[in-house]
């Protein structure tokens, strides 16, 4: 979920869409991972209460993928395990929501050891960030991963926006600035 201008309802659209998917009548199991990749205005993160706040965050995920403690697979397993501890179940265990907040504490964003550009500007694989997020989703066994990106074009949002493997939801208003974007 992306917008060229902030304040257009991007996070609200994402949460409404995820809610509709989880509340759709189905006999199938549905699992969703929400990633709050908006490091400037973390809307999804502010939606979480203390019981659903995991010990891991998108900021920590970026650091672990750039400097994995052992291997990338071990780091992914750790993040998946931590997200499972705070998943939100709907309809028994048939529908499950995992949320990776931008930060556990907003102070994490102020002192990030790894910048998004460290991963996003990988010359060997410009889609590395998408690959890592996909791997986390696969490790959790989710059916869908929704990413709330920062408005505008940035070193973090651009690699995901230009990755043709990703389905994009652009949120806008009729305001002139939004339309031009």
């Amino acid at each position: 979920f992306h917008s060229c201008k902030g304040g257009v309802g991007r996070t609200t659209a994402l949460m409404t869409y995820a809610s509709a998917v989880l509340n759709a009548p189905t006999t199938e199991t549905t699992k969703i991972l929400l990633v709050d990749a908006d490091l400037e205005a973390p809307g999804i993160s502010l939606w979480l209460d203390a019981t659903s706040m995991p010990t891991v965050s998108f900021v920590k995920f970026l650091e672990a993928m750039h400097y994995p403690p052992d291997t990338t697979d071990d780091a992914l397993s750790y993040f998946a395990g931590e997200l499972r501890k705070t998943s939100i179940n709907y309809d028994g265990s048939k529908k499950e929501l995992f949320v990776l907040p931008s930060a556990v504490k907003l102070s994490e964003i102020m002192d990030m050891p790894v910048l998004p550009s460290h991963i996003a500007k990988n010359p060997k694989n410009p889609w590395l960030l998408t690959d890592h997020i996909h791997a986390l989703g696969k490790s959790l066994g989710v059916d869908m991963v929704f990413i709330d990106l920062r408005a505008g074009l940035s070193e973090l949002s651009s690699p995901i926006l230009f990755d043709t493997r990703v389905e994009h939801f652009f949120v806008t208003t009729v305001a002139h600035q939004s339309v031009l974007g």
Side-chain angles (χ1 to χ4, degrees), residues 106-165:
L106 293 180
S107 59
E108 285 179 28
I109 295 172
M110 303 302 285
D111 189 25
M112 289 180 29
V114 174
L115 298 176
S117 59
H118 290 145
I119 292 175
K121 291 185 180 176
N122 185 308
K124 292 180 183 175
N125 181 0
W127 319 123
L128 188 60
L129 181 56
T130 305
D131 291 346
H132 286 318
I133 293 171
H134 177 265
L136 178 60
K138 189 173 180 181
S139 184
L140 287 166
V142 301
D143 303 294
M144 295 165 242
V145 176
F146 296 133
I147 306 168
D148 190 11
L149 290 173
R150 180 72 190 134
L153 294 176
S154 69
E155 70 278 355
L156 178 60
S157 64
S158 295
I160 295 171
L161 284 174
F162 296 120
D163 189 339
T164 58
R165 304 171 298 173

Side-chain angles (χ1 to χ4, degrees), residues 32-70:
I32 298 174
L33 168 62
L34 299 180
V35 178
D36 192 348
D38 187 343
L39 300 178
E40 293 181 31
I44 294 173
S45 300
L46 298 174
W47 173 73
L48 296 170
D49 61 17
T51 59
S52 57
M53 180 62 78
T55 60
V56 294
S57 66
F58 186 63
V59 169
K60 291 178 181 179
F61 182 74
L62 290 172
E63 181 180 5
M65 294 300 102
H66 189 69
Y67 299 117
D70 293 315

